[in-house]
Amino acid sequence: MKKRLLTFLFIPFILIHGVLVQAENNEATTLEDETIYYVIVEKFFNGDTSNDQEVPNDGYGGDIQGVIQKLEYIEEMGFSTILLSPIFNSDFSNDNENLTIKEYYGTKEDLIALVDEAHKRNMKIIVDVETTMEMPNNIAETYISLQEETGIDGYHILNIGMYPSDFWKGFINDIKSSNQNLFLLADELTIESQLEDTYNGIGFDAIVSRSYYEEASSKFVTIDQPLDTINNVFNETNNKSETTVKMIDSPQTDRFTRKATALDQYPVTRIKQALVHLYTTPGAPVVLYGTEIALDGGNGIPNQLLMNFRTEKELYEYITKLSELRSTLPSLTYGDFEMLYEEDGMLVIKRTYKDETAIAVINNTSETKTVQLDTNMLEEGKELRGLLAGDLIRSEEQGYKVTIDREEAEIYVLAEKTGVNLPFMLMVFAVPTLFLLFLFVNKKVHNK
């Protein structure tokens, strides 16, 4: 009990430190700094029923107004960026070189309103755009014009494999010449993961790692699976200039929940394990709408299910906590990455940035596990303070003995050993005691 109390008393100092470091890095914001919530607009929330007559048979009436009305819901989970699924008509035939919004999603004015409301909350809006074979030669001008009209913060460009890298080099140069700060996020849904390298180094701000998705979504849906192959993704991306963008759920495939339940696994536990890995490894995490309620869904956007806002908050609160830790522990965003230990699903990773060291421990096995982290791995004479469950581990002669229950995870920060500060502890306990005494005396006085 004492260990957990000391750990939680330490958390505010971590938060203050994180805010200061964020301020230092604020001028050079990249996608690496973002935590991204991926909204499938038509399945999310119906905020304007007046356009429902145009909704296709596989739709639910979700629209841009619905996203506006749920901004606070998304913000409270700690997300800094919202990624919108395709909302545009992508037919460029008949000399139509403008991106127009499908009627059942709303209007350009709705998109402008969404961007304005998001920016008031210091959040960004990135929109999906689909690469087609009919794109006009001046497609970059079309995207520049839309950005200037609406104020959006970036594009998530799907199916980049339809055009060679030279085409995208020219496109990127045109976009960046107009707006250097506009995010360009590349994605290829149909090619093999290894071909991501084809588009490395040509100027995209980030590339979605399908390698990470394939590994994480297959390994974390069950237990006792080796996790070292997931971490190989980060070895592959060490020399890449773009930010790696990661996800455990994709709207183009069966959802994580469906995969887990097919293996008779409890999806909430499985999602928690995957989320800790997603939030503590290098790159920007993307969380698909509904992950916070373990939403089920099939292959492809038409088979995704309607969002339900009246469910348990367990995963919602877990994501909120992870977002808070990622935003306040710079090592989880900018830190060097090292795998300290892995055996059949028991994983320990280390992130270091300047004078901060964070340790993520994930026990994705069927048994309680103990790992000895010796002084070659971590500086001796300190302690590991758990920030998810409040665990506290002090160094011993052989280093740090980490024990964690099956299917649990913890995020530690390495810190100086805590001595018992008696004046501070007395203050902590005296204030509520005196307040209760005041209430008792006050009640006595009134009774007289």
Side-chain angles (χ1 to χ4, degrees):
M1 181 64 183
K2 183 191 294 184
K3 287 184 177 181
R4 291 197 173 192
L5 177 60
L6 289 172
T7 297
F8 286 119
L9 288 174
F10 177 70
I11 288 176
F13 298 101
I14 295 175
L15 302 184
I16 293 170
H17 170 65
V19 169
L20 292 175
V21 173
Q22 271 192 314
E24 287 180 20
N25 295 313
N26 198 39
E27 293 182 3
T29 300
T30 68
L31 269 171
E32 187 177 40
D33 299 291
E34 308 300 320
T35 50
I36 304 169
Y37 188 73
Y38 197 171
V39 174
I40 306 302
V41 178
E42 65 204 65
K43 312 289 186 177
F44 192 60
F45 189 68
N46 190 348
D48 181 6
T49 57
S50 69
N51 55 30
D52 287 358
Q53 66 273 13
E54 304 294 338
V55 174
N57 292 333
D58 58 4
Y60 281 101
D63 46 38
I64 298 170
Q65 280 294 332
V67 181
I68 293 174
Q69 293 173 30
K70 292 298 181 180
L71 274 177
E72 183 176 357
Y73 170 88
I74 299 170
E75 180 188 25
E76 287 180 349
M77 280 189 285
F79 291 104
S80 60
T81 295
I82 297 173
L83 175 59
L84 300 181
S85 63
I87 58 174
F88 301 105
N89 291 299
S90 55
D91 182 8
F92 290 104
S93 58
N94 300 319
D95 296 323
N96 176 18
E97 297 181 355
N98 295 315
L99 282 172
T100 57
I101 296 173
K102 294 178 180 178
E103 291 182 21
Y104 48 87
Y105 291 136
T107 64
K108 189 171 290 184
E109 287 69 31
D110 291 331
L111 182 56
I112 292 170
L114 172 60
V115 172
D116 288 345
E117 290 300 317
H119 286 177
K120 289 176 185 177
R121 300 169 183 268
N122 293 319
M123 301 171 73
K124 299 178 178 65
I125 299 294
I126 297 177
V127 296
D128 277 0
V129 285
E130 298 178 281
T131 304
T132 71
M133 295 304 296
E134 298 178 346
M135 293 198 304
N137 293 329
N138 61 343
I139 184 62
E141 293 179 18
T142 300
Y143 290 167
I144 291 169
S145 176
L146 180 70
Q147 191 282 325
E148 290 175 345
E149 289 181 54
T150 62
I152 59 173
D153 301 286
Y155 291 104
H156 174 212
I157 305 172
L158 300 169
N159 299 318
I160 59 171
M162 296 182 73
Y163 288 85
S165 58
D166 286 345
F167 169 86
W168 292 116
K169 286 180 183 178
F171 170 86
I172 294 166
N173 182 65
D174 290 343
I175 293 284
K176 292 294 187 177
S177 296
S178 173
N179 186 341
Q180 184 66 33
N181 296 320
L182 190 68
F183 288 139
L184 295 176
L185 169 56
D187 202 350
E188 176 50 63
L189 309 177
T190 59
I191 61 175
E192 296 179 2
S193 301
Q194 292 86 341
L195 294 183
E196 293 166 10
D197 293 339
T198 303
Y199 301 96
N200 175 44
I202 65 173
F204 285 114
D205 294 289
I207 295 179
V208 174
S209 175
R210 291 291 157 179
S211 301
Y212 181 89
Y213 166 74
E214 290 164 7
E215 288 288 335
S217 64
S218 62
K219 295 298 177 64
F220 281 112
V221 291
T222 187
I223 55 175
D224 298 321
Q225 298 291 311
L227 302 176
D228 55 329
T229 52
I230 306 179
N231 297 310
N232 290 340
V233 172
F234 307 115
N235 296 329
E236 295 168 4
T237 59
N238 277 343
N239 297 320
K240 292 185 178 181
S241 57
E242 303 91 351
T243 296
T244 298
V245 172
K246 311 164 296 176
M247 56 179 67
I248 59 170
D249 238 337
S250 170
Q252 287 79 30
T253 64
D254 285 347
R255 293 205 63 145
F256 190 96
T257 291
R258 181 161 295 189
K259 295 176 182 178
T261 53
L263 296 171
D264 295 323
Q265 297 291 315
Y266 180 49
V268 172
T269 301
R270 302 286 85 241
I271 290 171
K272 282 184 176 181
Q273 297 284 87
L275 284 172
V276 171
H277 194 273
L278 184 73
Y279 272 77
T280 59
T281 49
V286 177
V287 176
L288 184 61
Y289 88 105
T291 299
E292 69 273 25
I293 61 170
L295 189 65
D296 191 12
N299 190 338
I301 287 180
N303 296 314
Q304 298 299 315
L305 301 185
L306 181 64
M307 180 62 187
N308 183 355
F309 294 94
R310 298 180 179 180
T311 60
E312 293 291 330
K313 293 285 190 178
E314 182 179 353
L315 279 171
Y316 182 97
E317 292 169 354
Y318 201 74
I319 290 171
T320 303
K321 184 63 177 177
L322 289 172
S323 295
E324 177 185 284
L325 292 179
R326 188 178 187 273
S327 67
T328 53
L329 289 175
S331 55
L332 297 183
T333 300
Y334 311 111
D336 294 335
F337 172 84
E338 181 182 358
M339 184 172 69
L340 297 182
Y341 180 90
E342 197 288 323
E343 185 176 351
D344 296 332
M346 178 61 181
L347 176 68
V348 182
I349 60 176
K350 176 182 177 182
R351 303 294 305 275
T352 52
Y353 180 75
K354 296 184 178 180
D355 60 349
E356 180 183 279
T357 298
I359 302 294
V361 181
I362 302 173
N363 182 1
N364 199 48
T365 78
S366 54
E367 300 176 351
T368 296
K369 295 286 187 179
T370 297
V371 175
Q372 187 71 37
L373 304 178
D374 62 38
T375 53
N376 292 325
M377 300 176 177
L378 294 174
E379 185 179 350
E380 62 182 335
K382 294 194 173 185
E383 63 188 23
L384 292 172
R385 298 173 184 166
L387 303 177
L388 276 180
D391 193 18
L392 181 62
I393 302 169
R394 289 195 171 95
S395 67
E396 301 172 348
E397 186 175 343
Q398 300 301 318
Y400 301 82
K401 186 178 180 180
V402 179
T403 300
I404 190 164
D405 292 337
R406 55 170 290 175
E407 298 185 80
E408 294 287 346
E410 179 64 289
I411 299 172
Y412 298 92
V413 65
L414 187 66
E416 299 294 336
K417 283 188 176 180
T418 48
V420 178
N421 186 337
L422 286 177
F424 180 72
M425 296 298 291
L426 285 172
M427 180 186 71
V428 170
F429 288 107
V431 170
T433 303
L434 290 173
F435 179 67
L436 292 174
L437 181 61
F438 165 77
L439 293 178
F440 176 76
V441 172
N442 190 51
K443 184 178 181 181
K444 286 282 189 181
V445 170
H446 280 287
N447 287 341
K448 288 183 180 180

